[in-house]
Amino acid sequence: MSGGVPGRSSRVRRILRGPRPEAVPVLVGWACTLVGLLDIAAGVFPRFRHSRMHAIAEVLPGSFGPFAAALSLSAGVLLLLLAHGLKRRKRRAWRAAVALLPAGAAAEFVYRHSVVGVVISLALLAPLLIHRDQFAALPDPRSRWRALANFVLMSAGSLALGLLIVSVHGHSMVGNPSLADRLTHVVYGLFGFEGPLAYQDNTSWTVAFSLGALGWLTAVTTVYLAFRPEHPAAQLTEEDEDKLRALLAKHGARDSLGHFALRRDKAVVFSPSGKAAVTYRVVSGVMLASGDPIGDVEAWPGAIERFMDEARAHSWTPAVMGCSETGGEVWTRETGLDALELGDEAVVDVADFSLAGRAMRNVRQMVKRIERAGYETRVRRIHDLAEAELERIRRAAEDWRGTDTERGFSMALGRIGDPSDGDCLIATAHKQDEEPGPYGDLKAIIHFVPWGKDGASLELMRRDRSADPGMNELLIVATLQAAQKLGIKRISLNFAMFRSALARGEKIGAGPVLRAWRGLLVFLSRWFQIESLYKFNAKFQPRWEPRFVVYRASSDLPRIGFAAMQAEGFVNLALPLPRFLRRRAAAQRPCAHAVAEQRDVRAA
């Protein structure tokens, strides 16, 4: 393993660091936000748009004034929605902005008669046209959930902005209506109907057109997002999975996270030679890889280059979670990215493990107590289980899950019992009860994936909530004791985030900064199990292997952290299905053996 620590500054790294993204799209995005706010203000606030020419235009026949106010308001709202896409160099956002800016400038002149407003809009249009080559990013993966989110957010924003439009024209309002009447008028206006409020002069037309424009925007954008061609997130194809398995068969012993590259909700890019690959998932605009590249280390640079090319093509933020020190060195050397130590992976060498000694006393006593309570353990390969027992284990793992969404990304496979994963290891705890439950005598499950030919990596731990405490310790010890018979020499346990900070912060002589950092981590452990995972892993006296996060700039870290929390299942922005619907969907899916048979038929 390389001796250097990735993430430390060096002159060579500064030279090799690739160019930062162009500043023009970011500046244009902020300018688009400013112009959008100006257009909204011009359409909403009477004093903002007041001029002598406006006073004359208000008495002219026709509805040019109210129509222009609605157009200015619509253009402003749409420009606000497009600003983020422009910052990310999206081509479709550029096309829409080029069409909207002249419309907003026309509305500024017709309704507000502001030369300054026209100049500002056209001043933004100029750099868009001059630097059009920089806005070439491809679309992001998308789903129908975007339409629902747009409807909710646009409806709330339209209600708030509509209430503001109704209220700022108080000088022209007849009487003094209540807040309920104003809200009613807004709701009616969003649907194109006349509300209970009355205005003097042409103000009623201005308010009606503006509210109607907001309702039209909400409806049109929602319909567009709902019925546009879906561009789903890339999935691992059967051909890609076969290639990855071939690479893992040759080089899988290098990284304990290698088998997790076979998650089928990931996409993959291969090196030009096909001897290395990087798997990833796109989450909130972050192209998130996990672990080291798969395959021959000599071919890693080619796969990494393809990964970075894909990130640039879509204007995604590149990031790697949980790579090893060797992986971090290669990533930083080839791309100019930086690396930061994220935590440590607990690895237990089977030959060195023993329950004897003072350090293992607590684990030893817990295991003996549980065994005296009548529990027994079984450690087997997946291909040694009968289908009926495997199906019972799957149902138990689903029902015993403590959260609505499946958690895990960098160290989770997301499935149990697939025929192609026959070498996976499963440890189960059993106890005979007077009244057997829906899963028979099954009380706890631990699932491991292969780590090369002589290793295993922990993937999942589930237990019956009514079972005695200590099930996980019992099954890990049982796995370590049975490992040699199964040809396993090393076992990777959970990943402990910020493990070194927790360990150093509790020692005598730790400084105030380190103690404060440890205190924050302990506080966050109430939600993210930071300290508990570290202490659980430490029970088995493992050796600690550092893991790193690779990132482009420090300003990207909050976004990468949020995307990682989404990928790991700690934050769920989509609306999860109720548990009974998930069970129905699972029941309608073909079982693992049926999928294998279908693949065999297609192959034939």
Side-chain angles (χ1 to χ4, degrees):
M1 181 174 290
S2 177
V5 177
R8 293 180 178 175
S9 60
S10 66
R11 187 175 182 180
V12 174
R13 182 171 301 160
R14 291 192 187 97
I15 296 174
L16 292 177
R17 181 174 287 125
R20 292 292 303 278
E22 295 293 339
V24 171
V26 177
L27 295 176
V28 167
W30 284 114
C32 184
T33 301
L34 176 61
V35 174
L37 292 174
L38 290 175
D39 285 345
I40 292 174
V44 172
F45 297 102
R47 292 184 179 181
F48 191 87
R49 62 175 181 264
H50 180 72
S51 67
R52 292 183 179 180
M53 289 290 294
H54 175 75
I56 297 174
E58 284 290 335
V59 298
L60 293 176
S63 58
F64 288 105
F67 176 78
L71 179 59
S72 179
L73 182 64
S74 301
V77 172
L78 290 174
L79 286 174
L80 288 182
L81 296 177
L82 293 172
H84 181 65
L86 289 174
K87 293 177 186 177
R88 298 183 55 209
R89 304 185 294 110
K90 294 298 182 180
R91 188 66 176 178
R92 291 184 178 180
W94 177 87
R95 292 172 179 168
V98 168
L100 281 172
L101 284 172
E108 287 275 356
F109 182 77
V110 173
Y111 189 47
R112 188 170 162 242
H113 307 286
S114 171
V115 177
V116 176
V118 175
V119 171
I120 291 176
S121 296
L122 296 181
L124 175 58
L125 181 61
L128 278 173
L129 296 175
I130 294 173
H131 299 282
R132 58 185 178 274
D133 293 340
Q134 295 190 27
F135 297 89
L138 301 175
D140 289 343
R142 54 181 180 254
S143 67
R144 305 304 183 195
W145 288 110
R146 182 78 179 273
L148 178 60
N150 178 84
F151 176 76
V152 173
L153 295 176
M154 284 290 292
S155 297
S158 297
L159 283 173
L161 194 56
L163 186 61
L164 180 62
I165 293 172
V166 168
S167 300
V168 296
H169 293 87
H171 64 284
S172 301
M173 192 179 298
V174 178
N176 187 23
S178 64
L179 178 61
D181 290 335
R182 299 185 185 195
L183 283 173
T184 302
H185 191 85
V186 171
V187 174
Y188 274 65
L190 292 177
F191 285 94
F193 299 107
E194 184 178 355
L197 304 187
Y199 292 91
Q200 301 172 359
D201 303 325
N202 287 337
T203 304
S204 60
W205 287 102
T206 302
V207 172
F209 273 57
S210 299
L211 293 177
L214 289 175
W216 176 83
L217 279 180
T218 302
V220 169
T221 54
T222 301
V223 170
Y224 167 73
L225 293 173
F227 290 98
R228 66 178 176 173
E230 191 168 5
H231 188 255
Q235 301 290 317
L236 202 65
T237 66
E238 294 180 9
E239 181 181 359
D240 291 338
E241 184 176 338
D242 292 339
K243 291 180 180 178
L244 287 174
R245 290 186 183 276
L247 293 177
L248 287 171
K250 295 180 179 179
H251 308 281
R254 184 176 296 280
D255 185 16
S256 63
L257 305 187
H259 198 86
F260 299 118
L262 298 175
R263 284 183 64 106
R264 288 166 184 160
D265 58 357
K266 289 183 176 182
V268 61
V269 289
F270 289 92
S271 65
S273 65
K275 295 182 179 180
V278 175
T279 58
Y280 66 91
R281 186 198 298 175
V282 179
V283 183
S284 297
V286 177
M287 191 176 181
L288 199 63
S290 61
D292 292 343
I294 306 300
D296 188 355
V297 175
E298 297 297 326
W300 283 6
I304 291 174
E305 183 179 1
R306 290 281 180 88
F307 177 89
M308 297 300 293
D309 289 343
E310 190 78 5
R312 280 189 291 268
H314 292 268
S315 191
W316 292 329
T317 299
V320 185
M321 298 294 296
C323 65
S324 68
E325 190 170 352
T326 301
E329 288 286 352
V330 177
W331 273 100
T332 55
R333 184 185 68 239
E334 296 297 327
T335 64
L337 301 178
D338 284 325
L340 181 68
E341 185 171 339
L342 187 61
D344 295 270
E345 176 189 8
V347 178
V348 180
D349 294 313
V350 173
D352 298 334
F353 177 78
S354 174
L355 286 177
R358 183 177 180 84
M360 298 297 296
R361 182 179 61 179
N362 291 336
V363 176
R364 182 173 62 252
Q365 291 176 347
M366 178 178 291
V367 170
K368 289 183 177 180
R369 176 179 57 80
I370 297 174
E371 289 176 342
R372 287 196 299 268
Y375 289 89
E376 64 175 26
T377 58
R378 302 169 192 168
V379 182
R380 294 160 290 175
R381 299 282 186 182
I382 287 291
H383 55 63
D384 293 330
L385 272 68
E387 177 59 28
E389 183 178 5
L390 193 56
E391 180 60 28
R392 187 164 61 249
I393 290 174
R394 290 195 200 101
R395 289 189 291 106
E398 169 70 17
D399 292 342
W400 291 345
R401 189 173 66 203
T403 58
D404 289 335
T405 57
E406 186 77 48
R407 287 188 174 177
F409 170 70
S410 56
M411 295 187 71
L413 188 61
R415 60 181 184 266
I416 296 179
D418 192 284
S420 58
D421 299 323
D423 287 337
C424 288
L425 198 65
I426 193 159
T428 54
H430 304 263
K431 182 183 179 182
Q432 294 291 338
D433 293 329
E434 295 181 358
E435 297 181 2
Y439 316 109
D441 61 352
L442 184 64
K443 297 299 178 182
I445 305 163
I446 288 188
H447 186 237
F448 297 85
V449 300
W451 175 10
K453 296 181 180 180
D454 60 355
S457 186
L458 179 61
E459 190 266 338
L460 174 143
M461 296 189 297
R462 299 279 166 80
R463 68 179 183 86
D464 188 344
R465 299 299 176 183
S466 64
D468 293 344
M471 290 290 103
N472 293 331
E473 290 88 341
L474 172 69
L475 289 179
I476 288 178
V477 170
T479 303
L480 288 167
Q481 291 175 338
Q484 287 186 339
K485 295 181 180 179
L486 296 170
I488 296 174
K489 298 179 180 179
R490 52 187 178 168
I491 291 180
S492 170
L493 301 180
N494 283 309
F495 171 73
M497 290 185 63
F498 309 112
R499 196 274 316 175
S500 58
L502 289 169
R504 293 197 305 266
E506 63 184 357
K507 291 183 178 179
I508 297 176
V513 176
L514 190 56
R515 287 185 179 274
W517 175 227
R518 181 183 180 277
L520 176 61
L521 293 176
V522 172
F523 175 75
L524 295 175
S525 296
R526 299 180 181 180
W527 297 278
F528 301 113
Q529 297 182 329
I530 298 174
E531 185 185 30
S532 59
L533 280 178
Y534 158 56
K535 291 186 174 180
F536 177 84
N537 292 334
K539 293 179 181 179
F540 304 97
Q541 302 298 307
R543 55 182 169 89
W544 299 100
E545 297 288 344
R547 290 280 174 172
F548 299 85
V549 55
V550 177
Y551 60 97
R552 183 175 57 191
S554 299
S555 57
D556 292 335
L557 285 175
R559 186 178 182 185
I560 293 171
F562 185 71
M565 291 174 65
Q566 288 180 259
E568 296 288 351
F570 291 103
V571 176
N572 185 22
L573 299 183
L575 298 176
L577 290 174
R579 186 176 290 270
F580 76 93
L581 289 180
R582 290 201 309 270
R583 290 178 179 173
R584 182 180 298 176
Q588 293 174 351
R589 288 196 299 266
C591 66
H593 286 299
V595 173
E597 291 175 0
Q598 292 174 5
R599 294 184 63 175
D600 293 339
V601 170
R602 285 195 293 268

